[in-house]
Amino acid sequence: FPVTIFLVIINDILDMTKIEAGKLNIENGSLHLHDVVKSVENILKPKAEEKGLVLETFFDLQISDRLNGDATRIRQILMNILSNAIKFTERGSVHLSIKLKERTSNFQRISISCLDTGIGISEEAIKFIFNEFYQENANGYHGMEGTGLGLSITKNLIQLMDGKIEVTSEKGHWTRVYIEIPLRCYRDWE
């Protein structure tokens, strides 16, 4: 295993252990969501380009410049869903869209949608996609690098943020991961 894969596996196992023990906390600091999205795009774009894929991101400028949230965990969520999309897409594209779904004076509900033109997931496998260590046996992809913990961790992190996640797919054609997360508006006095 290359060192980076080894570290990803160790971090996944540590995160899952913390989640199961109820010891994983969500930090609420000043969050510049656009910067987080841009940093993830900068990290993963070369991998997409190496595979000949188009990686496009859309960021809704109605989203506040400063929100309260956990930048590290949101970055981790985005890395997990985009890495999977790139890993399981051989040609075509991966589109990430971050939009303002709802706004009040105290919070903004953010929707995150990741759509790829990859191998897709069977209807049967969707039922188990968030289970720990689950990986669909997909010709040539089974046993690919990873622990099968990424989506389970992602779902747990989103639930800790009072959000929701769903996956829809058409086997052989596309997969869409849809997330909603409520984030409080940042106040200097907090």
Side-chain angles (χ1 to χ4, degrees), residues 116-130:
D116 67 59
T117 58
I119 63 170
I121 305 164
S122 70
E123 197 173 315
E124 184 62 27
I126 293 253
K127 299 174 191 170
F128 305 104
I129 201 76
F130 296 113

Side-chain angles (χ1 to χ4, degrees), residues 101 109-112 158 162-165 178-182:
K101 182 166 176 74
R109 181 172 295 279
I110 307 299
S111 72
I112 301 167
I158 290 165
D162 297 322
K164 66 179 186 177
I165 181 171
Y178 180 79
I179 298 166
E180 283 185 19
I181 302 174

Side-chain angles (χ1 to χ4, degrees), residues 1-167:
F1 283 121
V3 173
T4 54
I5 295 169
F6 181 72
L7 290 174
V8 166
I9 291 169
I10 295 297
N11 285 332
D12 281 354
I13 292 168
L14 289 172
D15 281 345
M16 211 60 227
T17 304
K18 286 181 196 172
I19 288 167
E20 289 173 352
K23 301 286 186 190
L24 189 100
N25 297 319
I26 299 298
E27 303 295 326
N28 277 313
S30 177
L31 168 66
H32 298 270
L33 188 56
H34 186 264
D35 293 349
V36 171
V37 171
K38 204 68 186 157
S39 73
V40 170
E41 182 184 22
N42 289 340
I43 291 167
L44 294 178
K45 198 163 197 144
K47 181 67 175 169
E49 289 172 348
E50 181 181 300
K51 292 182 76 174
L53 303 175
V54 174
L55 174 59
E56 295 179 330
T57 53
F58 169 80
F59 189 88
D60 188 343
L61 297 179
Q62 295 180 78
I63 296 172
S64 176
D65 287 342
R66 282 174 70 191
L67 296 163
N68 269 2
D70 191 328
T72 300
R73 295 305 178 180
I74 291 174
R75 182 176 287 108
Q76 183 177 4
I77 289 166
L78 292 172
M79 288 290 293
N80 280 344
I81 64 171
L82 276 174
S83 294
N84 277 348
I86 293 167
K87 184 190 325 185
F88 294 109
T89 301
E90 286 305 314
R91 63 183 179 280
S93 60
V94 175
H95 296 275
L96 178 68
S97 178
I98 316 289
K99 295 182 180 176
L100 177 63
K101 182 166 176 74
E102 181 185 351
R103 174 195 317 229
T104 70
S105 59
N106 294 323
F107 85 98
Q108 293 189 344
R109 181 172 295 279
I110 307 299
S111 72
I112 301 167
S113 176
C114 180
L115 177 66
D116 67 59
T117 58
I119 63 170
I121 305 164
S122 70
E123 197 173 315
E124 184 62 27
I126 293 253
K127 299 174 191 170
F128 305 104
I129 201 76
F130 296 113
N131 291 2
E132 294 173 24
F133 304 109
Y134 182 79
Q135 292 181 321
E136 183 179 16
N137 187 356
N139 300 331
Y141 286 90
H142 185 68
M144 282 186 74
E145 58 192 54
T147 59
L149 288 173
L151 282 177
S152 180
I153 291 168
T154 297
K155 182 177 182 180
N156 279 286
L157 290 173
I158 290 165
Q159 288 176 333
L160 286 170
M161 295 178 195
D162 297 322
K164 66 179 186 177
I165 181 171
E166 63 183 36
V167 176

